[in-house]
Amino acid sequence: MRTPKTIFILLCILLFQSCTEDVDFDQIDDASIQTSYKLSLVYVDFEAPDFLNIQNQEIPYTFDLIQTTVEDSSQDYLEKIEITVITENTFSRPFTCQFLMYNAEGKTIYSLQPEVVIEPNSIENTTILEIPQEDLHFLFEAAAYGFIFELPPSANQINSTTIGTLSFKSSMELFFNFNNQ
């Protein structure tokens, strides 16, 4: 009966013995948390009347505007911005789309390049645009974001009987790295 008691004591001693190194609590200074946030921007379906004026004449562009501001408290941690654009165009005309940022006075402060080219009669197409790191500050300076849809000149005019849809979906993903600086 003494043997099990001795084995138990030996096991307890072995279990409380450790083969680890000393813990370095200064490692917490090197910790970082990487995360991303995805925001919907614009989802719109344009039909022929959206590209016509009151006299049923084709207009060269249309736009959508989002008024918003982003607090700059996280500006030091922002590493990258990606804008994802998903398009589908059943018109027999190409379109271009440009992403702009405006200040509080309504002046353009940033234009993302390149423009998104939407080919005629195209099925779902995904384009990912990245705002360069040196331009990330514009996100915090902007009071509004705009999307301008341009209709380049063509002999194949859109009119009130034209059948087609331009579908446009977009989102913005912000990539952060929160670390001790």
Side-chain angles (χ1 to χ4, degrees), residues 9 12 23 37-38 46-47 59 73 78 81 85 94 113-115 120-121 153 164 168 171 178 181:
I9 292 173
C12 286
V23 177
Y37 298 96
K38 196 167 196 172
F46 292 110
E47 295 182 348
I59 55 175
S73 61
L78 183 62
I81 298 174
V85 176
Q113 299 298 324
E115 295 178 338
N121 299 313
F168 184 90
S171 63
F178 296 99
Q181 294 183 3

Side-chain angles (χ1 to χ4, degrees), residues 31 35 154 168:
T35 187
S154 172
F168 184 90

Side-chain angles (χ1 to χ4, degrees), residues 2-135:
R2 188 157 169 96
T3 305
K5 196 181 225 185
T6 306
I7 293 174
F8 177 73
I9 292 173
L10 284 174
L11 278 175
C12 286
I13 291 172
L14 289 174
L15 287 176
F16 289 111
Q17 294 287 329
S18 170
C19 297
T20 62
E21 297 177 19
D22 292 337
V23 177
D24 180 9
F25 289 104
D26 292 332
Q27 290 176 349
I28 195 71
D29 293 337
D30 299 330
S32 69
I33 299 172
Q34 295 178 331
T35 187
S36 67
Y37 298 96
K38 196 167 196 172
L39 313 162
S40 280
L41 292 176
V42 173
Y43 176 81
V44 65
D45 287 325
F46 292 110
E47 295 182 348
D50 296 316
F51 295 100
L52 301 174
N53 63 16
I54 296 173
Q55 291 84 24
N56 282 330
Q57 297 169 331
E58 187 177 276
I59 55 175
Y61 68 92
T62 187
F63 71 94
D64 198 358
L65 189 66
I66 305 166
Q67 292 192 344
T68 186
T69 56
V70 178
E71 288 188 29
D72 63 352
S73 61
S74 59
Q75 185 171 357
D76 294 339
Y77 304 105
L78 183 62
E79 290 189 330
K80 178 170 84 168
I81 298 174
E82 285 183 355
I83 297 176
T84 302
V85 176
I86 301 171
T87 60
E88 186 173 342
N89 180 12
T90 61
F91 288 106
S92 58
R93 294 280 301 276
F95 293 85
T96 60
C97 178
Q98 190 173 17
F99 176 75
L100 303 167
M101 293 183 193
Y102 300 93
N103 64 14
E105 291 79 40
K107 294 183 181 177
T108 303
I109 58 172
Y110 185 75
S111 175
L112 182 60
Q113 299 298 324
E115 295 178 338
V116 176
V117 177
I118 306 166
E119 298 295 333
N121 299 313
S122 61
I123 57 172
E124 190 172 284
N125 187 26
T126 301
T127 305
I128 298 177
L129 303 168
E130 187 173 326
I131 297 177
Q133 188 151 20
E134 63 270 10
D135 295 339

